[in-house]
Amino acid sequence: MKIKTNTLFSKLIIRFILITIISITLLGILMLYNFNNYLFQQKEEEIIAYSQRLSAFILRALEERNLAIVRNMLEILARINNGQVWLINSQGILTLAYPADNNKIPVRYFRYREVLSGEVVSQRINLEYFEEPMLLIGLPLDNASDIIEFGLLIFTPVSGIRKIVNQVIRLVAFSSLLAVLMSILVAYNWSRALSNPLKDISSFALILSSGNFGQTINIEEKGGIKELQDLAKSINQMSLTLQKTITDLTEEKNKLKYVLTGMEEGVLAINQEQKIILINFSASSLFDSQENELTGKKLSEAINDKQIIEMFKKVLSSQLIYSEELSLENEGIITRLLVHLTPIKIDDKLWAVVALFQDITERWRFEQLQREFVTNVSHDLKTPLSSIKGAAEVLLDEIVDTPQKEKKYLKMIYEESIRLEKLVREILTLEGIHNGSRQLWQKEKIDVKKLLENVTMIFNSIIDHQQKVITIVKEFPAENIYVRANRERLKQVLLNLLDNAYKFSSDQGIVKIGCSTEGSRVKFWVQDKGIGIPAGELENIWERFYKIDKVRSSAGKGSGLGLSIVKQLVETQGGSVFVESKLQLGSVFGFYLDIAKK
């Protein structure tokens, strides 16, 4: 929350000044009221005092019927008060007055009955008959009898009192103004002492809100407000505590992030609303997405695999640990996963479900290959053995009646024996590569063009008597190229690649064999125009016993070991293999070797 210190500062000053002004004004009004009453009371007491002293002379003169003395006394009393004096009888009728020209003023406006009843009356009047406001003092003229026959109405102008009151008002106004100025100064200093620390605290709060924890604010103790100092200390403690807490949380978060990022296994967690709350890179890669793209989404929106969604729903409902194997296919590549789901509970309440996706593709494929190997080897052994056994039984039973038929069965036995020998030789070759016998293979400098000519001639002689006819085309550079490798092993690699191309080429097809230089390496290749290989199979084509299609493999009578032998023999020579293929357009198998130094 942003504190507007300037506004707060102004409000504090204005409120303090208003309170001061109102207080001083009320106090001044009260003082003026009391002072005004005091002046009138003093004036009343003064008039009553000397009027009572003269009233005895006036009463005696009235008893003696000496009106001249009465008039003189009224004049004296009027002059003393600088006003007027009236004499009324017991009926309230004005008898005498000074000045005499005011005897036409009606007596009913005044409290004459109270005076004639024996009371002293004080009344402030402001009538049109008088030029200015008057103070009326009514005195009864008491005699020995119980009946009051006369009363005095003494009118005194209050202008004198007004002047005194006005002077006092000016004095009070000046004092009030001085007090207001002093209060403004005090309020300003006090407000500054309050607003400056608040402004610093406000700025510091904005710094904290931006995430810059660990900093502190200092409020000066000298002249400072203790409560604000305590507030600053509390905020400093909160800042340091937040810094430590955030640091600890960041460390724990980074630890979890590094652990999850470094895991080969995929980790995915959802809450009870089936929203993804945690996913690592390995898991997001399985679903061909980024981590930040999936976090917060519903599981059904982020993942299209219904089997995985059902597994999560099953664990959410049962709240039990569950494991299952499944396969994911992406762009023709199959990934085998072992999914282990665990419910996470907090205070015996289900909070989330965490799934661990373990990639068991290699193990699964190896198990598949093992099963296929047993099947393939059993089939490859069984077929020639059955042929040999059948041909031998025919010969032993002497069913054959001509030398030509006998020769046919003997040839069958011979060809199947060669197949068995080749299968055993391939298995022994792989075994020899793995048990270290390759270290005994001597390398020499080999002329690549002569090697390819020799290999082509050998392979032509091999397929010369086969029913399927193909043409081998050689593509060599003009200059001589040399590599350092084991000659026999290199021949074996090229013959295996030619044999593989021959198997999957149609009758009257063309197979190309060639080489070229690319930088410091020599590129060897064998190209066919066969049926090609699916893109999803290229990754596994070099694995032992791997066959792309059971129908094609059976037709080619291969064991699935040839390309695996090629890869391992090339790697023993310090090279690397490659394959390029398109369905129905053919394939290119090849390898790279370093050019031999002169």
Side-chain angles (χ1 to χ4, degrees):
M1 181 180 68
K2 184 176 180 181
I3 302 175
K4 296 183 178 179
T5 52
N6 292 333
T7 304
L8 178 63
F9 171 66
S10 302
K11 287 181 178 180
L12 286 173
I13 291 180
I14 292 172
R15 289 176 182 176
F16 185 82
I17 292 173
L18 288 175
I19 292 173
T20 303
I21 292 174
I22 292 172
S23 301
I24 292 175
T25 302
L26 292 175
L27 181 62
I29 292 172
L30 182 61
M31 289 176 60
L32 288 173
Y33 177 77
N34 292 330
F35 183 69
N36 186 58
N37 290 338
Y38 172 77
L39 289 177
F40 275 99
Q41 185 177 359
Q42 288 295 107
K43 187 67 174 178
E44 291 170 1
E45 291 176 356
E46 180 183 346
I47 294 173
I48 292 171
Y50 58 71
S51 296
Q52 286 178 343
R53 286 194 292 270
L54 291 176
S55 62
F57 295 101
I58 296 172
L59 184 60
R60 188 179 304 116
L62 288 172
E63 290 176 351
E64 294 174 356
R65 306 284 183 180
N66 192 346
L67 297 178
I69 295 175
V70 173
R71 288 190 181 95
N72 290 334
M73 290 295 108
L74 294 179
E75 181 181 357
I76 292 171
L77 190 57
R79 290 184 180 278
I80 291 174
N81 293 305
N82 195 25
Q84 302 180 26
V85 179
W86 296 358
L87 179 66
I88 59 174
N89 58 21
S90 57
Q91 285 78 32
I93 299 173
L94 181 59
T95 304
L96 292 174
Y98 184 87
D101 56 350
N102 289 325
N103 55 9
K104 294 181 181 180
I105 301 176
V107 180
R108 66 178 182 273
Y109 291 112
F110 316 118
R111 297 157 58 188
Y112 69 92
R113 290 185 178 85
E114 297 178 21
V115 174
L116 295 174
S117 64
E119 295 182 11
V120 177
V121 175
S122 175
Q123 181 182 357
R124 298 172 195 179
I125 58 176
N126 187 11
L127 298 175
E128 58 184 5
Y129 302 103
F130 299 103
E131 295 179 355
E132 57 181 323
M134 293 289 186
L135 172 62
L136 168 64
I137 301 297
L139 290 174
L141 295 178
D142 295 331
N143 52 19
S145 65
D146 295 333
I147 299 174
I148 298 175
E149 297 181 353
F150 297 96
L152 287 176
L153 297 179
I154 306 168
F155 297 92
T156 304
V158 296
S159 56
I161 298 175
R162 295 284 184 183
K163 290 180 181 179
I164 296 174
V165 171
N166 289 336
Q167 291 178 355
V168 173
I169 289 174
R170 286 193 291 272
L171 180 61
V172 171
F174 177 76
S175 301
S176 300
L177 179 61
L178 182 61
V180 169
L181 293 176
M182 292 296 294
S183 65
I184 290 174
L185 181 62
V186 172
Y188 178 81
N189 292 331
W190 178 77
S191 300
R192 293 295 295 178
L194 179 64
S195 65
N196 284 339
L198 285 177
K199 185 175 181 180
D200 294 339
I201 292 173
S202 173
S203 300
F204 185 67
L206 291 176
I207 294 175
L208 291 182
S209 66
S210 63
N212 296 322
F213 304 113
Q215 302 186 41
T216 56
I217 180 175
N218 295 320
I219 302 297
E220 295 183 1
E221 295 186 3
K222 185 178 180 181
I225 300 175
K226 184 177 182 304
E227 287 75 9
L228 291 179
Q229 294 171 5
D230 294 340
L231 176 61
K233 290 178 182 179
S234 300
I235 292 177
N236 290 339
Q237 183 63 35
M238 179 185 70
S239 174
L240 296 175
T241 303
L242 283 174
Q243 174 65 20
K244 185 177 183 304
T245 303
I246 295 297
T247 301
D248 293 342
L249 289 175
T250 302
E251 289 180 358
E252 293 300 322
K253 182 180 179 180
N254 289 337
K255 289 178 183 178
L256 178 61
K257 179 180 178 181
Y258 296 145
V259 169
L260 292 176
T261 303
M263 290 179 62
E264 292 185 3
E265 295 82 1
V267 177
L268 190 153
I270 65 170
N271 57 18
Q272 287 184 302
E273 289 75 31
Q274 298 187 29
K275 289 185 178 181
I276 297 176
I277 58 176
L278 178 66
I279 185 170
N280 68 348
F281 176 77
S282 298
S284 61
S285 299
L286 291 174
F287 307 111
D288 196 24
S289 299
Q290 298 293 327
E291 298 171 62
N292 54 359
E293 293 178 357
L294 299 181
T295 304
K297 284 187 175 181
K298 293 276 289 185
L299 184 65
S300 57
E301 297 174 358
I303 299 175
N304 293 325
D305 194 289
K306 293 183 179 180
Q307 190 174 357
I308 295 177
I309 296 174
E310 289 301 322
M311 291 167 62
F312 273 102
K313 289 182 178 178
K314 183 175 182 179
V315 176
L316 283 172
S317 61
S318 66
Q319 300 187 16
L320 298 175
I321 296 174
Y322 181 73
S323 297
E324 186 178 334
E325 287 188 17
L326 57 88
S327 297
L328 291 181
E329 184 173 353
N330 186 12
E331 295 182 356
I333 300 176
I334 297 177
T335 303
R336 189 70 175 178
L337 299 173
L338 172 60
V339 185
H340 186 80
L341 297 96
T342 304
I344 305 299
K345 296 182 180 180
I346 297 178
D347 297 330
D348 294 330
K349 184 179 180 181
L350 182 64
W351 176 69
V353 174
V354 178
L356 184 68
F357 296 85
Q358 185 177 1
D359 189 347
I360 58 171
T361 306
E362 294 301 323
R363 188 187 76 186
W364 177 69
R365 285 177 179 169
F366 180 73
E367 292 173 353
Q368 293 289 102
L369 289 175
Q370 281 184 321
R371 288 192 290 269
E372 290 179 4
F373 169 70
V374 173
T375 302
N376 292 337
V377 171
S378 299
H379 179 269
D380 289 344
L381 288 175
K382 181 180 179 181
T383 302
L385 286 175
S386 298
S387 300
I388 293 172
K389 180 182 176 183
E393 288 177 348
V394 170
L395 294 176
L396 288 174
D397 293 341
E398 297 180 353
I399 298 174
V400 179
D401 53 359
T402 62
Q404 290 80 6
K405 290 182 178 180
E406 182 179 349
K407 185 176 181 180
K408 175 184 175 183
Y409 286 108
L410 290 173
K411 184 180 179 181
M412 182 186 297
I413 293 172
Y414 175 73
E415 290 177 349
E416 295 302 329
S417 299
I418 291 175
R419 283 184 60 191
L420 286 174
E421 181 187 9
K422 181 181 178 182
L423 177 61
V424 172
R425 186 170 61 248
E426 288 177 343
I427 295 174
L428 291 176
T429 300
L430 282 174
E431 185 64 24
I433 293 172
H434 284 288
N435 64 21
S437 62
R438 62 179 181 272
Q439 298 176 358
L440 302 177
W441 297 342
Q442 298 297 322
K443 294 183 178 181
E444 58 181 293
K445 190 175 181 180
I446 302 172
D447 187 330
V448 173
K449 290 174 65 176
K450 290 182 179 180
L451 174 67
L452 294 179
E453 291 282 3
N454 182 250
V455 168
T456 303
M457 182 181 65
I458 293 172
F459 190 72
N460 279 326
S461 66
I462 293 174
I463 64 173
D464 189 41
H465 300 291
Q466 301 293 329
Q467 292 181 354
K468 184 165 60 176
V469 178
I470 65 168
T471 302
I472 299 178
V473 178
K474 296 171 286 185
E475 295 182 352
F476 307 146
E479 69 276 8
N480 291 330
I481 304 173
Y482 295 90
V483 295
R484 182 167 295 279
N486 183 276
R487 186 181 297 274
E488 294 304 318
R489 299 284 78 81
L490 200 52
K491 281 184 181 181
Q492 185 177 358
V493 168
L494 292 170
L495 288 171
N496 277 6
L497 292 179
L498 285 170
D499 182 62
N500 187 71
Y502 177 80
K503 289 177 183 177
F504 296 102
S505 294
S506 58
D507 191 19
Q508 304 300 321
I510 297 176
V511 173
K512 294 181 180 180
I513 182 171
C515 68
S516 62
T517 57
E518 292 186 3
S520 61
R521 299 190 301 171
V522 180
K523 177 181 179 182
F524 296 84
W525 76 83
V526 174
Q527 180 180 2
D528 64 67
K529 298 293 183 180
I531 56 180
I533 304 169
E537 303 286 351
L538 292 177
E539 182 182 356
N540 307 312
I541 197 67
W542 301 102
E543 295 179 6
R544 75 169 65 177
F545 309 120
Y546 190 83
K547 294 184 180 182
I548 300 170
D549 187 284
K550 303 298 181 291
V551 176
R552 291 199 302 251
S553 297
S554 298
K557 297 184 179 180
S559 63
L561 297 173
L563 291 177
S564 179
I565 292 174
V566 167
K567 181 176 183 293
Q568 303 214 29
L569 287 177
V570 169
E571 290 176 350
T572 61
Q573 306 300 310
S576 59
V577 296
F578 71 89
V579 59
E580 300 170 359
S581 184
K582 291 185 179 180
L583 285 175
Q584 308 305 324
L585 296 178
S587 305
V588 178
F589 287 87
F591 58 94
Y592 292 94
L593 289 178
D594 292 332
I595 297 177
K597 297 180 181 179
K598 296 182 179 180

